[in-house]
Amino acid sequence: MYRFAKAAVNVTGQAVRQVRHGSTTPQDFHTKYGTGVLLGGAVFCTAVWSYVLTQTGITWNLSPVRKIMPKEWREAEE
């Protein structure tokens, strides 16, 4: 248990030092490319949905109000 506590204190001490100095030494993927990937994904998603909404000819039928009429009620024959 002592080794675990000592290692935990050491890790938290390293984290505090990295935060105080402003950044970690090796830059990770998210720091380098995170904004670009996020913007690229947003542009791709917008482009695909724009194409689907304008070019595919899908009838979306968003509101069923006054479009679905109930059938006439028929009495069961006895």
Side-chain angles (χ1 to χ4, degrees), residues 23-51:
S23 68
T24 58
T25 305
Q27 288 193 347
D28 60 349
F29 179 83
H30 299 290
T31 305
K32 282 184 171 181
Y33 306 110
T35 306
V37 170
L38 181 68
L39 292 175
V43 167
F44 177 77
C45 183
T46 303
V48 168
W49 275 108
S50 297
Y51 174 79

Side-chain angles (χ1 to χ4, degrees), residues 1-73:
M1 191 65 174
Y2 175 72
R3 286 183 179 178
F4 176 74
K6 187 176 178 183
V9 169
N10 188 22
V11 168
T12 57
Q14 287 175 354
V16 168
R17 273 183 253 124
Q18 287 175 352
V19 169
R20 282 187 187 157
H21 289 294
S23 68
T24 58
T25 305
Q27 288 193 347
D28 60 349
F29 179 83
H30 299 290
T31 305
K32 282 184 171 181
Y33 306 110
T35 306
V37 170
L38 181 68
L39 292 175
V43 167
F44 177 77
C45 183
T46 303
V48 168
W49 275 108
S50 297
Y51 174 79
V52 168
L53 292 173
T54 61
Q55 301 298 317
T56 57
I58 295 175
T59 303
W60 292 95
N61 203 12
L62 298 177
S63 175
V65 175
R66 296 187 186 247
K67 293 182 181 174
I68 299 174
M69 298 300 292
K71 293 181 179 178
E72 291 294 324
W73 179 261

